[in-house]
Amino acid sequence: MTRVLVVEDNPQLVRALVINLQARHYGVDAAPDGATALRLAAARQPDVVLLDLGLPDMDGIDLIKGLRGWTRVPILVLSARQSSGEKVSALDAGADDYVTKPFSMDELLARLRAAVRRTEDIPLAAETSLIETDDFTIDLLAKKAVRGGRDVRLTPTEWHLLEILVTHPGQLISQKQLLQEIWGISQRNKSNYLRVYMAQLRRKLEKDPSHPRYLITEPGMGYRFEA
């Protein structure tokens, strides 16, 4: 059973989420504040977190950072904050998706399913499971990145994006393809998601993120990985 941690202080919304999730055979834990969420996340090991940014005891961005200190569990933000800056801040902190309130329950459940799929192991041929560059090594089978002898923490969405690029070396992958594959959406206004995640990957893997050698942007078209 897939276990979901709902972090939300609105009792009515919590009730609606719990009813809809349990009806689809998800296990659900609910936390009304950040401290309870951190305790439940450690104790229950959820498969995905649904997180409101407006919590009574801490900002949701700080909670995302706290979770990212020790877990790669997919985090879907549910928030009434609609500004581009808020969305980028949440994604930059380590969230995997951002759903603006009010939202369609069907859309939320679709995004939740997509987030869970991204954490599933993808069988890879032995010859393609290890990608080595002069600056870092990617073991796709173990879902592990190493740079300078140290493990690099990547979120599930960062892994998914990286997997697509490194398994198609030298090939241009369009923004539309990446959006569809990773988030199941292709709206143009979501291209800022890709910019945020590519920037994060470059900061974590490239020697000079401002002049990337491996994770290349083709302006107006998409991205490619150069081995």
Side-chain angles (χ1 to χ4, degrees):
M1 177 183 291
T2 300
R3 181 156 294 279
V4 181
L5 173 59
V6 176
V7 187
E8 169 64 61
D9 65 340
N10 182 326
Q12 291 180 322
L13 180 54
V14 171
R15 177 176 169 78
L17 289 168
V18 169
I19 290 173
N20 277 275
L21 289 166
Q22 289 182 340
R24 291 160 176 82
H25 309 293
Y26 289 98
V28 187
D29 296 299
D33 54 53
T36 305
L38 288 169
R39 178 176 57 80
L40 284 175
R44 303 289 281 175
Q45 297 290 310
D47 298 295
V48 62
V49 175
L50 301 180
L51 166 66
D52 181 27
L53 293 182
L55 299 173
D57 61 339
M58 68 173 68
D59 189 83
I61 299 292
D62 293 327
L63 178 55
I64 294 170
K65 292 177 180 177
L67 290 169
R68 280 290 168 255
W70 59 274
T71 179
R72 285 169 40 208
V73 64
I75 299 173
L76 278 68
V77 170
L78 312 178
S79 179
R81 304 177 188 176
Q82 300 186 22
S83 74
S84 177
E86 292 281 4
K87 295 178 182 179
V88 169
S89 294
L91 293 168
D92 205 25
D96 294 276
D97 203 351
Y98 195 107
V99 181
T100 303
K101 297 178 181 178
F103 52 81
S104 154
M105 191 63 67
D106 286 341
E107 178 188 0
L108 174 63
L109 291 169
R111 293 198 186 201
L112 187 149
R113 290 192 296 270
V116 172
R117 282 198 304 271
R118 290 196 290 273
T119 66
E120 296 174 349
D121 290 332
I122 301 172
L124 295 164
E127 63 271 17
T128 64
S129 66
L130 190 66
I131 291 90
E132 297 179 289
T133 74
D134 292 340
D135 297 313
F136 56 85
T137 300
I138 305 295
D139 187 337
L140 294 174
L141 204 57
K143 292 188 177 294
K144 182 178 180 181
V146 177
R147 179 187 175 195
R150 296 182 178 181
D151 288 353
V152 179
R153 286 185 181 274
L154 298 178
T155 70
T157 299
E158 289 169 351
W159 269 113
H160 197 188
L161 175 56
L162 187 62
E163 283 177 343
I164 295 170
L165 294 172
V166 301
T167 53
H168 298 84
Q171 295 183 34
L172 173 68
I173 310 296
S174 72
Q175 292 183 5
K176 183 176 180 179
Q177 286 176 284
L178 290 169
L179 288 166
Q180 184 66 42
E181 175 65 24
I182 297 172
W183 287 283
I185 53 178
S186 57
Q187 295 96 319
R188 293 179 183 175
N189 64 352
K190 300 299 183 184
S191 60
N192 62 319
Y193 281 25
L194 289 175
R195 289 194 294 273
V196 169
Y197 280 104
M198 287 300 295
Q200 290 174 181
L201 285 174
R202 286 170 179 147
R203 283 198 298 271
K204 294 178 179 183
L205 297 174
E206 295 273 6
K207 183 178 294 185
D208 183 357
S210 61
H211 298 89
R213 174 182 173 186
Y214 306 100
L215 302 170
I216 309 299
T217 299
E218 295 292 352
M221 294 187 290
Y223 301 91
R224 59 186 168 85
F225 171 71
E226 289 293 344

